[in-house]
Amino acid sequence: MTAETLSLAMAESDIAVLTFDTPNKSANVLSNSVLDELASHLDELEQRSDLAGLIFLSAKPGIFIAGADLREFVQSLGAAEQQVVAMCRRGQTLFGRLSKAPFVTVAAINGICVGGGAELASWCDRRLFSDNPKAEFGFPEVKLGLFPGWGGTVRAPRIAGLSNAIEMITGGESISAEAAYKMGWACDVVADDQLLPAAIRLVRAEQATKDYLKDRERWSRPIEITDTELGFLGATAAAVIRQQTKGQYPAPEAALETMLESAMLDSESACQLEAARMAKLFGSPVNAALLNVFFLTDRNKKDTGIDKREIATQSISSVSVIGAGIMGAGIAAANVKRGLTVALTDAARESLAKGGRNVLEEAAFDRELKGPSVERMLELAPLLNLTTSNEEVAASDLVIEAIVENEDIKRSIYAQLEPLLRPDAILASNTSTIPITKLAAGLERPERFCGIHFFNPVRRMKLVEVIRGEKTADETIATAVAYAKGIGKMPIVINDGPGFLVNRLLFPYMHEAIELLCGGAEIKAIERASKSFGMPMGPIELYDLVGIDTAVYAGQTMFEAFPDRVVSSTLLPAMVEAKRLGKKTGRGFYSYDNKKGRPEPDPSLGEVIGPHVRGKRDFTPDELTMRLFLTMFLEATRVLEDGIVRDPRDIDLGLIFGIGFPPFKGGLMFWADTLGAAAIVEMLKPFESLGNRMAPTNLLLEMAASGAKFYK
Ligand code: NAI
């Protein structure tokens, strides 16, 4: 057995305390060996006739239990249904003993309590929360394509009510300690250092009133609800779920059906149903894909950005942002929000004033108010310095340039600023297309220069590309990575190259949409193919959002870099000529001439695109999907051949968090692995006539021959 996680102590002569403390980990997880430990402690404790209560505690600050051990889950992904049922039954039976023990059981929750942890707590007679701000309670299993399988779907409706349980389990969002108290999950919320004394008092009170015995009996029965209520609840919840999942994520619907059906059953039969239904989801393609996304983000949290060795990073507490436009203001706001001091500058005074206002409004945005909180704005305002002084700009630990996309102008700014910077300060560009090595030419300290490429809108997009120029030092990269994480972003380190990573992969996909359109495909059909694959919007609408002039400019860069495979389109320049630049001008491929600014088909579009369409023909949905996503995939194999990323996983993380690639597919390379390289080579054959852009790359052919996968 591995080192022990649970330790037993006596809080008083008749009150036992089991404390979770997973060795060498920051969080407690419920692995198989921890479940074994719990079972043997219960074997012993249940034999004792002198016990009044058992209290569960955690020794990890701010974390009670983070859930089941997902690495063990991954190892069991191929398990047969029978085995999965047995896994569920084991947890249910083990935790179920807490609701039958000859003493009162209390979970004293000091922080994050989710997934399997929330299930363990649910089986206790009583739950107490500390007022630790990290405290949260929830069932996030649907985010992994599953639902709670250790009795969560059985206990939650019985303790917190069916409607609350449905919302929590099908939505997967956690609730605060206060909300848990209001819903009836918790008896009380107490000061962090009062958790144990309060739990002891709770045991004593229950001993006197015996209320917990009434609840044990009540929670083992079917739920009291009429058929009409059940029908209404089911129909409304199903409608909400369908709207959110678009039928692409089966777990929330399965959880709902299970809870509706088991409402009329006793607890034991409900547990059996839960296990049987959970076994249908476990190991499914969506479950495997979502687990992969979990591990991608987990890997990213631990990645320093440097492979070779441990590296010292510099702490960044002050940042300057040059350019107060869309991106500059967004970047400044992301910093201010996290308490960093920011000097913001712009060549145009009006832009600076407007940008400054945008920064504060954005940084002080309050979800409940659906607007900026004035108090928060006043609190944050001292962190922001709107300045036109180069000396003030140069005084920061990090300077991020976000001015117009023009190499000469960017370089002239660097020439003015660099001599004023501290020698250890980092200079970075937010450029979306200009190679970092080019921008670094002429710098005295190119080793302190890199790309820090945020995505638009900065507020919503977690991805940041940290781009390494030829001369960028490891320390600079590691510092930029640590800095980006510090402001809540997910940085991936990219080697320099046209379009870096995300735009390089996005371009062939968007470009293929134009080729399909000019080849006679209907816009509606193209958009549908992309959305049914799982993209949040179709590529044609995306053109309108990005701006068609911007797309032409980016396309030019790609054409110059990869003339062997980028076909230059005549349609996009014609759109620009016709002043149809996209959403920003109210008209692009769609019209936005309506109150809500939604894309609507525009009958006058035909005149512009007509001359560029080479005859109509029908495309099958499959053909459209393959053309859109295999071009993107082939470019990804070239990115690997060129050594642009350090690991195929960075491609997947980048696309999921940079352009909304469907998480239920696990990422582009993960998806490709499910098809297999040899099958993809076959799928490409019908597209041979399209030339290089649809031709299998050397990497793909080698993988097809050897049977290798991208995920090793
Ligand atoms: P923007 O046009 O909204 O803002 C640029 C700002 O820079 C303007 O306020 C302008 O007055 C100011 N400026 C121009 N020359 C200057 C100078 N010499 N000194 C000081 N300020 C100067 O542009 P946006 O969209 O914010 O883009 C900025 C940079 O971010 C570009 O390099 C762009 O490629 C990149 N980027 C843009 C994204 C987008 O979606 N808009 C996404 C990611 C990167």
Side-chain angles (χ1 to χ4, degrees), residues 323 325-327 346-347 351 402-403 405 410 413 430 432 453-454 456:
I326 306 177
M327 293 306 289
D346 198 289
S351 305
I403 65 166
E405 190 72 344
K410 285 186 194 282
I413 291 273
N430 183 53
S432 40
H453 180 206
F454 290 82
N456 187 11

Side-chain angles (χ1 to χ4, degrees), residues 93 102 106 115 291 365 383 459 506 520 670 711:
T93 317
V106 177
L291 271 171
F365 187 86
L383 293 175
R459 155 176 49 94
L506 188 59
F670 185 89
Y711 277 67

Side-chain angles (χ1 to χ4, degrees), residues 178-235:
E178 203 54 46
Y181 173 70
K182 285 190 192 140
M183 262 185 212
W185 282 108
C187 303
D188 206 353
V189 181
V190 301
D192 216 17
D193 60 356
Q194 290 304 305
L195 203 49
L196 183 58
I200 294 171
R201 281 198 303 277
L202 188 57
V203 171
R204 296 277 171 240
E206 291 295 332
Q207 230 184 352
T209 62
K210 302 273 185 256
D211 279 351
Y212 75 102
L213 293 176
K214 286 181 221 149
D215 283 334
R216 281 187 179 185
E217 204 273 322
R218 186 159 62 93
W219 292 337
S220 68
R221 286 198 308 255
I223 294 164
E224 282 167 20
I225 188 168
T226 65
D227 279 344
T228 323
E229 284 170 318
L230 201 59
F232 177 74
L233 199 56

Side-chain angles (χ1 to χ4, degrees), residues 622-641:
D622 209 36
E623 190 179 359
L624 293 171
T625 309
M626 288 308 138
R627 282 210 21 202
L628 291 171
F629 292 97
L630 289 183
T631 41
M632 188 193 264
F633 163 74
L634 285 170
E635 195 60 31
T637 64
R638 296 184 197 106
V639 155
L640 289 173
E641 287 176 336

